[in-house]
């Protein structure tokens, strides 16, 4: 059985997950061997994230952190996604003892993750890493394209700049 302090620590680690515009659109509750993650719709961004897509990605990131932390603490988590019978929308995580060794690298990465708007260092990404990303893309209908040539990157950068100008000319976007 998971103790209250252990469950609170799992939740603390879950909240270190990335979220759209750092809104942290989640709430948690603890019950016997169960943690619920609720979408916090009061933190939604209706201009930037019209369909709450980023909000739900953020919930998934918090869930992943929670599951990694739980495994490191000796628990597995079985997840029910928005189950019927719950009073509110939630992700329901049932915790039970885990007898498999944890992935310590992922666990130790949780507090190291950060968002930055600073320029990245100038080192090139190793070709083997790019190839691994391309191999990891296994979903039908999804294409991954890697751009490494300066001309291609410059064209993409121009599109991003145009999009940014468009967004920042929208008072509702700026206000949000």
């Amino acid at each position: 059985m998971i103790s209250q302090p252990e469950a609170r620590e799992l939740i603390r680690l879950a909240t270190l997950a990335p979220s759209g515009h750092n809104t942290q659109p989640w709430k948690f509750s603890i019950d016997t061997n169960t943690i619920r993650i609720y979408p916090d719709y009061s933190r939604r961004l209706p201009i930037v994230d019209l369909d709450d897509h980023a909000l739900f990605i953020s919930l998934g990131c918090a869930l992943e952190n929670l599951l990694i932390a739980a495994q490191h603490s000796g628990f597995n988590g079985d997840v029910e996604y928005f189950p019927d019978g719950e009073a509110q929308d939630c992700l329901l995580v049932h915790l039970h003892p885990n007898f498999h060794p944890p992935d310590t690298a992922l666990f130790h990465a949780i507090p190291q993750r950060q968002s930055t708007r600073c320029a990245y260092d100038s080192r090139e990404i190793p070709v083997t890493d790019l190839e691994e990303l391309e191999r990891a893309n296994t979903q039908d209908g999804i294409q991954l394209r890697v751009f490494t040539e300066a001309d291609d990157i410059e064209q993409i950068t121009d599109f991003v700049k145009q999009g940014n100008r468009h967004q920042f000319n929208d008072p509702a976007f700026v206000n949000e």
Side-chain angles (χ1 to χ4, degrees):
M1 186 157 128
I2 190 164
S3 69
Q4 284 285 323
E6 287 173 311
R8 288 181 192 277
E9 178 62 7
L10 297 182
I11 290 170
R12 185 189 74 76
L13 292 164
T15 65
L16 297 178
S19 61
H21 294 271
N22 200 29
T23 56
Q24 301 178 344
W26 44 60
K27 292 181 180 181
F28 298 85
S29 71
I30 303 169
D31 201 356
T32 306
N33 291 334
T34 302
I35 296 176
R36 287 174 178 81
I37 307 175
Y38 302 95
D40 185 351
Y41 295 113
S42 72
R43 293 178 174 259
R44 62 187 300 268
L45 300 170
I47 304 301
V48 176
D49 186 24
L50 183 64
D51 63 356
D52 294 330
H53 185 81
L55 183 147
F56 286 104
I57 289 172
S58 299
L59 286 179
C61 293
L63 172 64
E64 185 65 15
N65 273 14
L66 186 121
L67 293 173
I68 291 167
Q71 183 188 38
H72 189 266
S73 298
F75 297 93
N76 272 342
D78 291 328
V79 181
E80 290 184 66
Y81 300 91
F82 304 99
D84 293 334
E86 287 292 317
Q88 298 176 11
D89 288 347
C90 70
L91 306 175
L92 193 56
V93 183
H94 301 283
L95 298 168
H96 51 86
N98 172 21
F99 303 105
H100 301 288
D103 184 334
T104 57
L106 283 176
F107 175 76
H108 292 296
I110 291 173
Q112 293 177 11
R113 187 215 56 87
Q114 63 179 340
S115 298
T116 181
R117 290 193 166 98
C118 298
Y120 292 96
D121 64 34
S122 59
R123 292 179 293 167
E124 286 189 23
I125 299 171
V127 171
T128 55
D129 289 354
L130 295 174
E131 290 170 349
E132 188 174 344
L133 283 172
E134 289 174 323
R135 282 192 306 274
N137 178 36
T138 59
Q139 290 186 291
D140 290 335
I142 304 290
Q143 271 188 333
L144 173 69
R145 294 188 182 180
V146 176
F147 297 93
T148 56
E149 300 298 322
D151 289 344
D152 294 333
I153 293 169
E154 187 175 325
Q155 287 180 29
I156 293 167
T157 301
D158 288 342
F159 283 123
V160 170
K161 287 178 182 176
Q162 287 177 32
N164 286 344
R165 278 192 297 277
H166 180 76
Q167 284 183 317
F168 281 101
N169 284 328
D170 179 351
F173 172 85
V174 174
N175 186 50
E176 190 171 86

